Amino acid sequence: MVGIAVSAALVPGSGHAVGTGEERAARRPVPMATAGGESFTSLGSPALAGEPGPLPATGAYLHYGPQGVARMTWLSRWLGGTDLRVGHTYLPGDLWTNIEGAPRFLDAWADWRRERDDRILVLNVPMLERNEEGVSDDEVRALLRRGAAGEFDAHYRRLAERLIGLKVPDTVLVLGWEMNGTTYTHRCGPDPEAWKAYWNRIVGAMRSVPGQRFRFDFTPSRGRDAVPWTKCYPGDDTVDIIGMDAYDQPRGTSFDGQVAEPYGLRAHVDFAKAHGKPLSYPEWGLFRNGDNPEYMRRMLAWIDEHKPLYNTLTDYCPHGVWQCRQNSKAAAVYRSALYGRTEPAPTPAPAPTPVPETTPAPLPSQDCSPVDLGDWAEHLLGWRVCIRRDWWSSTWWSPWGR
């Protein structure tokens, strides 16, 4: 889900998944390019490096642009140095030029990915422009059929060329995510056969570009939603990963219910196994049941048990734990479970070392760039420094409110 946010304290709105009674996740901030080429928040295969090892590759959605890259370091510190190997961002779905990869923030994520061979860059890619403008089913049906006929192939060849030019040809592409709902223009429901044919056209167009090693992730939302997601599955030849966006909802639903429901977590695992594909959880987190430590404990155990290729927690309110102070109990569970994860877990794994519950350190404002003074300043003095964009002044701030 995609939407408005302008600061580190992200509190977007939410909506309703029509056809199921299940409320959908709060919308995340994504960019929209302006005429000047800058981005602002708006509404709106072969085995490669990063294959799953003893522990699932972990990350979090922290921000779509360079701030998200910077926050990966801070989140890792809060987790006691845990190795965050997955970076996750989204292309805006307003215009074809942005779906083609025009936004400059991709450069920062490409730089991050290239720093280490075992990192995974995950990029959500819309299948149609005007992706959150409430386009009617009739128009969606017509657009899907035009796409299936090859009318939009060139846009995706340009995106492939852009990513290859950035030297990230192995990017995981979450194409047409949550297609089983009603939020997006790229939804499947109005014409599942045309949707599947269009997915195959896009994959074929991107794979035709020399040098590509992309992996395509088919990711519905958990549950039936508006249409069973199995009806949208385009086939094993064009799907590399079978993902699921899984939030703690609807209100009052237990984790066992989320596992056992039709098209739920168990069905997802079984479907991927039957098709010989790895799992992923591109979006997951808290939601309608509030600060729910039991959900957090069970979801982390589920991830450890089923070892997806990667998982990324949606880390802003109401879903997250580090950038959302209201979820302190779930944050303590998340931090304790992941604290210091840099080596394969022993077998059998010992009980985790208790980690004192702490309030996540506040992030610097978006007009302020942090300067790392080293652990002695941060831990002994309790101060960090950031330099404001108006370079002639500086601002001191403290995570403990000093």
Side-chain angles (χ1 to χ4, degrees), residues 113-170:
R113 164 65 186 90
R114 294 194 308 269
E115 286 176 0
R116 277 177 42 187
D117 289 342
D118 64 345
R119 285 178 173 172
I120 301 173
L121 176 60
V122 177
L123 178 65
N124 277 47
V125 178
M127 292 172 68
L128 291 166
E129 65 176 350
R130 297 185 296 136
N131 202 33
E132 294 183 66
E133 294 187 12
V135 176
S136 70
D137 281 355
D138 286 343
E139 189 172 358
V140 168
R141 189 176 299 109
L143 288 167
L144 292 175
R145 291 174 180 177
R146 289 167 60 189
E151 186 171 334
F152 307 132
D153 288 5
H155 300 302
Y156 293 94
R157 283 194 292 269
R158 292 188 190 107
L159 173 59
E161 291 165 356
R162 167 88 163 117
L163 294 172
I164 292 167
L166 289 171
K167 297 182 175 59
V168 285
D170 58 352

Side-chain angles (χ1 to χ4, degrees), residues 383-402:
W383 289 91
R384 299 183 190 130
V385 66
C386 69
I387 306 302
R388 296 179 59 86
R389 289 175 183 170
D390 52 343
W391 54 269
W392 58 86
S393 66
S394 64
T395 301
W396 288 84
W397 61 283
S398 164
W400 297 278
R402 296 180 186 175

